[in-house]
């Protein structure tokens, strides 16, 4: 059967179409196949494997034409949706592959289903690190080995994602920041606090085992008392969305006193001072400072 092509495009669109699809074609806005009219802007489902759902960007007739008319061969120019996942690449499919036009609700349901397969959640073990509560450690403690899983909306583990039409392997980056001493107050914005803090560790795992990204214990990273932030970030971000991440707020307290220092008033170390006191002269005030094994002020 012949196809009826309507709404011939201008010279610039024709030149682009012939550059991408060959000289023997003409671009139109609309094609009528039997009782079905398909136009640019329609969302269609095609009879393909795997299933393709996308927005029609235009139609092509398989010959050079000077005006609206009929021809036996035609193609739909389709960009798959959602574009954040599949990119903006436009592909040509024969009109005979057309299956159905989708309503707005059906198109939204399709996009939701696609996004449901994308990574959307980060889980970490030990589980107590994922409660949102501040994790407490003593100075000198090791941060434990951690195991990170990236899952989709159905709870299935993900090690790959699709962004801009390309399937990419996921990696997880572990970063540890020192944010300051306990007297600095709770951070209002972890991202801003990390930007101002001191980065102590950055480790990337791009080779998951059994769909789990594992990290060894952090030795010697928690020597200073104060506040820390451990952040696990998934890269790349699926579909151009904000990167997935999980943050653990950490509080490190000083250990028991292991040494003491005596100082004169004013901060001069008594052990290094050679000043004496005359007989009958009042002794200056002294201060006693306590420290743990990691030189943190001890309580």
């Amino acid at each position: 059967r012949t196809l009826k092509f309507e709404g011939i495009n201008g010279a610039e669109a024709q030149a682009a179409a012939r550059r991408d699809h060959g000289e023997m074609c003409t671009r139109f806005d609309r094609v009528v196949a039997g009782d079905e009219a398909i136009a640019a802007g329609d969302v269609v489902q095609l009879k393909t494997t795997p299933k393709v759902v996308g927005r029609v960007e235009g139609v092509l007739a398989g010959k050079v034409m000077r005006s609206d008319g009929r021809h036996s061969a035609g193609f739909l120019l389709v960009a798959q949706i959602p574009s954040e996942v599949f990119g903006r690449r436009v592909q040509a499919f024969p009109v005979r592959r057309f299956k159905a036009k989708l309503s707005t609700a059906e198109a939204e349901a399709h996009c939701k289903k696609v996004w449901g397969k994308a990574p959307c959640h980060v889980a970490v073990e030990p589980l107590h690190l994922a409660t949102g509560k501040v994790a407490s450690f003593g100075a000198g403690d090791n941060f434990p080995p951690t195991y990170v899983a990236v899952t989709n909306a159905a709870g299935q583990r993900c090690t790959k994602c699709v962004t801009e039409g390309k399937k990419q392997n996921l990696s997880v980056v572990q970063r540890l920041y020192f944010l300051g001493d306990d007297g600095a107050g709770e951070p209002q914005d972890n991202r801003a606090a990390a930007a101002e803090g001191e980065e102590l560790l950055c480790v990337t795992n791009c080779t998951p085992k059994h769909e789990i990204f594992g990290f060894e214990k952090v030795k010697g990273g928690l020597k200073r008392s104060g506040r820390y932030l451990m952040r696990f970030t998934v890269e790349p971000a699926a579909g151009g969305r904000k990167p997935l991440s999980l943050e653990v707020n950490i509080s490190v307290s000083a250990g028991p006193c292991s040494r003491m220092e005596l100082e004169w008033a004013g901060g001069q170390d008594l052990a290094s001072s050679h000043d004496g006191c005359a007989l009958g002269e009042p002794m200056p005030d002294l201060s006693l400072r306590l420290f743990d094994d990691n030189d943190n002020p001890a309580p």
Side-chain angles (χ1 to χ4, degrees):
R1 64 182 178 178
T2 61
L3 305 171
K4 184 179 179 181
F5 296 89
E6 300 174 340
I8 192 168
N9 292 178
E12 186 176 344
Q14 299 302 346
R18 288 163 184 161
R19 182 184 64 245
D20 296 337
H21 304 285
E23 291 295 325
M24 296 303 296
C25 69
T26 306
R27 180 165 173 156
F28 294 84
D29 288 332
R30 169 185 167 103
V31 64
V32 180
D35 297 330
E36 194 71 64
I38 310 164
D42 289 340
V43 176
V44 299
Q45 179 180 341
L46 303 177
K47 292 180 287 188
T48 56
T49 303
K51 180 178 72 174
V52 169
V53 173
R55 181 167 283 104
V56 177
E57 302 293 329
V59 298
L60 294 178
K63 72 171 183 177
V64 176
M65 300 171 65
R66 303 300 177 189
S67 62
D68 294 1
R70 295 179 177 274
H71 186 59
S72 59
F75 300 87
L76 302 176
L77 300 177
V78 176
Q80 286 183 259
I81 59 171
S83 60
E84 297 89 348
V85 173
F86 294 105
R88 303 190 180 279
R89 184 168 64 108
V90 176
Q91 298 173 272
F93 295 90
V95 174
R96 67 176 182 274
R97 293 289 186 185
F98 170 80
K99 182 177 182 179
K101 283 197 286 190
L102 273 59
S103 66
T104 300
E106 290 171 329
E108 290 175 352
H110 165 77
C111 291
K112 184 177 180 180
K113 185 175 181 180
V114 172
W115 280 119
K117 298 177 181 179
C120 66
H121 180 69
V122 183
V124 65
E125 292 184 359
L127 293 176
H128 73 271
L129 298 177
T131 62
K133 298 180 180 179
V134 176
S136 298
F137 293 88
D141 288 349
N142 297 323
F143 192 83
T146 48
Y147 305 92
V148 177
V150 184
T151 59
N152 61 21
Q156 299 169 322
R157 291 177 181 171
C158 303
T159 58
K160 299 178 185 292
C161 74
V162 178
T163 181
E164 289 298 317
K166 297 179 181 179
K167 183 175 287 189
Q168 300 186 52
N169 292 326
L170 295 177
S171 61
V172 176
V173 182
Q174 179 191 42
R175 290 184 174 91
L176 177 64
Y177 301 91
F178 178 69
L179 304 183
D181 59 46
D182 288 320
E186 289 297 324
Q188 298 299 313
D189 181 348
N190 276 345
R191 189 170 297 277
E196 298 175 0
E198 177 186 352
E199 184 177 291
L200 304 177
L201 174 76
C202 181
V203 178
T204 300
N205 185 337
C206 53
T207 54
K209 294 182 178 179
H210 306 294
E211 302 177 323
I212 295 290
F213 298 85
F215 296 90
E216 296 180 355
K217 66 180 177 182
V218 180
K219 298 179 180 179
L222 304 178
K223 289 186 176 181
R224 284 180 285 179
S225 60
R227 294 184 294 106
Y228 293 75
L229 176 69
M230 180 71 79
R231 176 184 291 150
F232 299 94
T233 306
V234 181
E235 297 179 351
R241 290 181 164 184
K242 180 181 177 181
L244 295 173
S245 65
L246 184 145
E247 296 178 341
V248 182
N249 287 292
I250 301 169
S251 176
V252 175
S253 57
C257 175
S258 62
R259 67 181 180 87
M260 299 179 290
E261 289 183 0
L262 276 173
E263 292 181 344
W264 294 113
Q268 187 178 14
D269 185 3
L270 184 62
S272 62
S273 173
H274 299 289
D275 295 337
C277 294
L279 186 65
E281 180 182 350
M283 179 178 288
D285 292 337
L286 297 175
S287 63
L288 178 65
R289 301 177 62 196
L290 309 179
F291 298 89
D292 68 7
D293 286 335
N294 294 285
D295 292 328
N296 296 298

